Amino acid sequence: MKTILLAACLTLVAAKAQAISRYEPMRLSCGKVQSTITRQGAVILRYQSTRVPGLPLYDRYVQSQQFCTMGEVRTRAYVLTADTKSCPVYICKRPDSERFRHRFIRRH
């Protein structure tokens, strides 16, 4: 019974991970990128490295904090789109422990 339950949980996690859509922001306007993220909650944006020609890169962009895992915070980021070099979006990041401590933990 435990094996069946574990298998069912893993299947749900895998299905959730595969459900995320992928887009190339250079083919979309900034408004379209933002509205797609808002509508879907989280998306993968693929782009080319500026340092290494031909190297594809990607990251996960989110609509709100609820799409981040425990220990991550939603942080502002910017992506290059068809109509702007700096389209504001959000990603989930683990906070830098030193900055996090100084920002959120007061010393007495």
Side-chain angles (χ1 to χ4, degrees), residues 12-23 36-37 40-46 58-63 67-68 90 92:
L12 288 174
V13 169
K16 184 178 177 183
Q18 291 177 357
I20 193 164
S21 298
R22 293 162 175 79
Y23 300 93
T36 301
I37 294 169
Q40 295 187 12
V43 301
I44 300 289
L45 296 181
R46 295 183 292 192
Y58 63 91
D59 210 341
R60 183 173 174 267
Y61 296 85
V62 298
Q63 184 261 335
F67 293 95
C68 297
Y90 291 96
C92 297

Side-chain angles (χ1 to χ4, degrees), residues 51-72:
R51 294 184 205 168
V52 181
L55 177 65
L57 300 174
Y58 63 91
D59 210 341
R60 183 173 174 267
Y61 296 85
V62 298
Q63 184 261 335
S64 68
Q65 179 68 38
Q66 77 182 35
F67 293 95
C68 297
T69 60
M70 188 184 319
E72 292 181 329

Side-chain angles (χ1 to χ4, degrees), residues 4 6 9 12-14 18 25 27 34 37-39 42 44 51-53 60 72 76 78 84 86 91 100-102 105:
I4 293 171
L6 179 61
C9 289
L12 288 174
V13 169
Q18 291 177 357
R27 295 182 181 201
Q34 291 172 332
I37 294 169
T38 299
R39 186 177 67 255
I44 300 289
R51 294 184 205 168
V52 181
R60 183 173 174 267
E72 292 181 329
R76 171 89 58 185
Y78 298 89
T84 184
S86 187
I91 61 173
F100 180 79
R101 189 169 65 231
H102 287 297
I105 300 175

Side-chain angles (χ1 to χ4, degrees), residues 29-31 33-34 77-81 83-89:
S29 68
C30 180
V33 168
Q34 291 172 332
Y78 298 89
V79 296
L80 181 65
T81 61
D83 63 342
T84 184
K85 293 181 179 181
S86 187
C87 180
V89 291

